[in-house]
Structures are given as structure tokens and as C-alpha cells.
């Protein structure tokens, strides 16, 4: 294909992605957040649609990861409320892993231009530590297991690295378990009306996430001299 035609096709594709993303956020993303945020409505949907509700929930999680502007915390809490801590955790891990794999493949297909549709160059620069080839798998695992880190951003950045898809799936599925488990336990506590326990869980979550953010910022600052020296 001539270079001119190839560039035109890329522009058309990226324009279409932007349009679809905007429509998805306005027409699907916000209603989804409202839906899962209304615990009684969501739980009623689950009770009325035993199997379909689980498929729909996986779809919601995949959608949330792909369209990274949609916050995912509400979905995980709602999963714990509607399905219980154990099943909610399992479904959440499966859904987010599927979404992460899909994002990984799309980034590998369309590259940096696709990532810049959702994140700024400054945000990408903050995750330069993900390009450390010698410690890539270890760094990626640590970044994902720490609560409070921008996991949606890291999913997109991972596609720009040399990490293998199979290993990426293992990393993102295992490393997400602690944070997801905490969210679903909190959601389940609300569902069983253990409000004091739920409050304690979410308070601990906030504290751990705050510490995680500090650790993440420390990691990004440590990586800055290395990347600047190399350049």
C-alpha cells in the first residue's frame, strides 16, 4: 500500500476511534457507572438474570479497561455487592485481564498514536520505568500490585514495551488480585449490611492507596535520571 494511502487510513481509523470513544463514554460509560453505583438496581438485575448478568458484568469490566477514562473502582465494589466477595473477585480478575489483553493487542496494532488518544505525553513519560528491559517483568508486577497506581495507563504503556502477551496476562491477572479482593470484600460487606466492617475496609483501602501513590511517585522519580541519562 502506498505511504500516502496508509497514512490516510491511519487518520481515518484514529478519527473513528476518537468518535466511538466519545460516544461510548457519553452514551454507555456514564449510564454504566450510574447503573453499578445503584447497588439495589444492580443486585436486582443479577437476581433476575443469573447467567446473563455475569456475562454483562464481564463486558462492563472489559469496556472500562479499554475506555480508560471510566473509573473502575465502582465496578469492583458492585461486583462484590452483587456476586459476593469470592465470585466478585474471580469475575473482576477475569474481566480486567481480558480488557488488559485487548488493550495490549490494540496498542501493538496501532502504536503510540492510539495511546495518545487516551493519555497525554506527560502521562506516558511518568511511566518510563516500564521500558526498563532488564527488570521489565518485575517492575510491571510491582506497579500493578501496588494499590493506587494508574493501572489503565500502565495497560496501554505495556503494549509499547517488548513484554510478551502471555507473560503480560499472567502479570496483570495475579498482580490485580489484592486490590480487587479488597474492593469486592467491601462491596460484599455492604450487601450483607455489615456497614461498620465495610467502612473499615474502605478506610484501609484509602490509606493503602495513598501509600501506593507515594510509592508509585517514588518509582517514577527514580526512573527519571536513568531515562534522561540514556537520552
Amino acid at each position: 500500500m502506498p505511504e500516502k494511502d496508509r497514512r490516510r487510513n491511519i487518520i481515518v481509523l484514529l478519527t473513528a476511534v476518537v468518535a466511538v470513544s466519545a460516544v461510548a463514554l457519553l452514551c454507555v460509560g456514564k449510564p454504566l457507572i450510574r447503573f453499578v453505583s445503584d447497588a439495589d438496581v444492580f443486585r436486582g438485575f443479577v437476581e433476575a438474570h443469573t447467567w446473563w448478568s455475569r456475562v454483562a458484568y464481564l463486558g462492563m469490566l472489559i469496556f472500562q479497561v479499554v475506555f480508560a477514562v471510566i473509573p473502575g473502582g465502582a465496578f469492583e465494589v458492585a461486583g462484590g455487592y452483587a456476586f459476593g466477595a469470592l465470585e466478585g473477585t474471580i469475575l473482576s480478575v477475569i474481566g480486567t485481564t481480558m480488557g488488559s489483553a485487548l488493550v495490549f493487542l490494540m496498542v501493538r496494532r496501532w502504536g503510540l498514536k492510539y495511546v495518545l488518544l487516551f493519555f497525554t505525553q506527560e502521562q506516558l513519560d511518568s511511566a518510563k520505568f516500564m521500558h526498563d528491559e532488564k527488570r521489565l517483568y518485575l517492575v510491571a508486577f510491582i506497579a500493578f500490585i501496588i494499590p493506587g497506581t494508574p493501572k489503565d495507563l500502565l495497560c496501554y504503556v505495556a503494549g509499547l514495551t517488548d513484554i510478551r502477551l502471555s507473560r503480560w496476562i499472567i502479570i496483570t491477572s495475579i498482580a490485580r488480585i489484592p486490590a480487587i479482593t479488597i474492593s469486592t470484600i467491601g462491596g460484599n460487606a455492604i450487601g450483607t449490611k455489615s456497614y461498620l466492617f465495610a467502612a473499615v475496609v474502605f478506610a484501609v483501602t484509602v490509606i493503602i492507596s495513598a501509600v501506593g501513590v507515594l510509592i508509585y511517585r517514588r518509582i517514577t522519580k527514580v526512573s527519571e535520571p536513568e531515562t534522561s541519562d540514556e537520552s
Side-chain angles (χ1 to χ4, degrees), residues 35-219:
F35 177 63
V36 298
S37 298
D38 191 328
D40 293 332
V41 171
F42 187 54
R43 198 167 196 176
F45 172 73
V46 170
E47 292 175 353
H49 306 84
T50 305
W51 291 105
W52 168 241
S53 64
R54 286 153 174 81
V55 175
Y57 181 63
L58 290 176
M60 293 177 191
L61 292 168
I62 295 171
F63 182 88
Q64 181 275 319
V65 176
V66 173
F67 295 96
V69 291
I70 301 175
F75 291 89
E76 295 166 5
V77 173
Y81 181 93
F83 302 109
L86 179 59
E87 185 178 5
T89 297
I90 294 173
L91 289 173
S92 295
V93 171
I94 293 174
T96 53
T97 299
M98 293 173 66
S100 298
L102 181 58
V103 165
F104 186 95
L105 292 173
M106 289 191 295
V107 174
R108 280 288 170 89
R109 175 64 179 83
W110 293 307
L112 179 61
K113 291 182 179 180
Y114 177 71
V115 179
L116 290 174
L117 294 175
F118 300 96
F119 301 99
T120 65
Q121 185 62 53
E122 183 179 357
Q123 289 175 306
L124 296 183
D125 290 341
S126 70
K128 281 185 176 180
F129 62 89
M130 288 283 288
H131 294 278
D132 185 345
E133 296 182 3
K134 296 180 179 179
R135 300 177 295 175
L136 177 57
Y137 298 112
L138 175 61
V139 169
F141 183 83
I142 293 175
F144 262 82
I145 203 170
I146 296 175
T149 58
K151 294 178 176 57
D152 291 336
L153 167 64
L154 299 178
C155 282
Y156 277 81
V157 173
L160 300 174
T161 69
D162 294 329
I163 195 170
R164 294 181 182 179
L165 176 59
S166 58
R167 294 187 180 183
W168 172 245
I169 290 176
I170 294 173
I171 289 173
T172 189
S173 58
I174 295 177
R176 283 181 183 270
I177 291 176
I180 289 177
T181 300
I182 294 174
S183 296
T184 54
I185 287 176
N188 182 60
I190 295 175
T192 57
K193 298 183 179 180
S194 303
Y195 299 120
L196 178 59
F197 179 66
V200 171
V201 170
F202 290 128
V204 172
T205 301
V206 171
I207 295 172
I208 294 176
S209 297
V211 174
V213 169
L214 294 176
I215 295 174
Y216 179 77
R217 288 179 179 176
R218 177 62 180 170
I219 292 175

